[in-house]
Amino acid sequence: MSSQKKGSPVRVANLDNPVQLAVIGAAHGIKGEVRVKTYTGDPMDLGSYGLLYDASGKSYEVLSIRPSKTVVVVRFAGVEDRNAAEALNGKELYVDHAQLPQDLDEDEFYYTDLIGLAVRDSAGVSYGKVSAVFNFGGGDVLEIKESGKKPVMIPFTLTSVPEILMEEGAILIDPLAAGLVDDGSASADEEGDEPEAPETDDDGWAR
């Protein structure tokens, strides 16, 4: 599965169907390099999609990329010093969906294509639609929204989501494994407790 991030729909100048591939973090060194968190299956693939764009439509060309722990260190064309690099901190980078490889295997898909799929169980009970895909450091989760109800999140695992029916525009879930039905034991969520926030690194990203 390819793992491009997708949350609420965004508007990006010049892109018909934007898909977020990365977000720029802190400057790295004094020669214009920056730390970048990617949402590609292989972080080193970031430079293989062609030009990247921020929300204003400004393009970014990857000149060099190398791994560094949980992120990659990138040098973009035209970014020559630390001041220019620091000005990019927080920029989200996108490509158009058409720029993504389309020759996927039968069991492969882009996470962005999950948005809007109907959510149901094997009995045909509806739970709403997928509204976003996130990863807070402990694995991918799906945000599910149902009309008139607060959104809920479920783990995006084979146990919770045993089947993805792209041709039917739906995903099949196990509501018990996904935590959407009561298994008879009390839980923090049922009592209204908020989940603990994930630990973050120096750049504010979840670890």
Side-chain angles (χ1 to χ4, degrees):
M1 295 182 291
S2 300
S3 55
Q4 277 72 28
K5 180 191 177 185
K6 185 72 174 182
S8 299
V10 296
R11 297 180 66 88
V12 177
N14 303 325
L15 300 183
D16 294 327
N17 189 4
V19 177
Q20 186 182 349
L21 290 191
V23 59
I24 300 175
H28 184 85
I30 62 174
K31 296 183 178 180
E33 291 183 315
V34 290
R35 288 161 52 88
V36 176
K37 181 181 178 70
T38 74
Y39 303 112
T40 55
D42 180 350
M44 294 296 291
D45 283 345
L46 184 66
S48 66
Y49 293 93
L51 293 177
L52 308 172
Y53 299 86
D54 65 20
S56 71
K58 180 181 178 181
S59 64
Y60 296 79
E61 179 186 359
V62 175
L63 294 182
S64 66
I65 183 169
R66 55 190 171 86
S68 177
K69 297 182 179 179
T70 60
V71 298
V72 290
V73 174
V74 177
R75 175 79 176 278
F76 291 108
V79 182
E80 306 293 343
D81 56 37
R82 186 174 181 87
N83 287 338
E86 288 177 343
L88 300 180
N89 196 349
K91 292 281 188 182
E92 296 178 342
L93 300 179
Y94 302 83
V95 296
D96 194 84
H97 192 286
Q99 290 176 249
L100 302 175
Q102 302 301 313
D103 55 342
L104 301 179
D105 292 336
E106 185 176 348
D107 60 345
E108 288 187 316
F109 53 86
Y110 291 113
Y111 283 8
T112 183
D113 293 332
L114 297 176
I115 308 303
L117 294 186
V119 181
R120 63 175 188 253
D121 62 20
S122 59
V125 176
S126 174
Y127 293 86
K129 294 183 177 181
V130 178
S131 54
V133 183
F134 298 109
N135 189 315
F136 301 112
D140 295 316
V141 295
L142 302 182
E143 181 184 75
I144 310 299
K145 284 187 178 180
E146 187 173 6
S147 179
K149 297 183 179 180
K150 293 183 178 180
V152 297
M153 291 190 179
I154 67 171
F156 190 26
T157 62
L158 187 59
T159 303
S160 297
V161 188
E163 231 178 321
I164 297 173
L165 309 170
M166 296 298 291
E167 292 184 357
E168 297 181 24
I171 66 170
L172 190 67
I173 67 167
D174 179 329
L176 181 58
L180 298 181
V181 297
D182 186 6
D183 64 356
S185 60
S187 69
D189 287 342
E190 290 169 346
E191 296 170 0
D193 294 341
E194 294 291 331
E196 294 184 5
E199 296 183 3
T200 59
D201 59 20
D202 294 338
D203 296 317
W205 288 330
R207 297 189 291 193

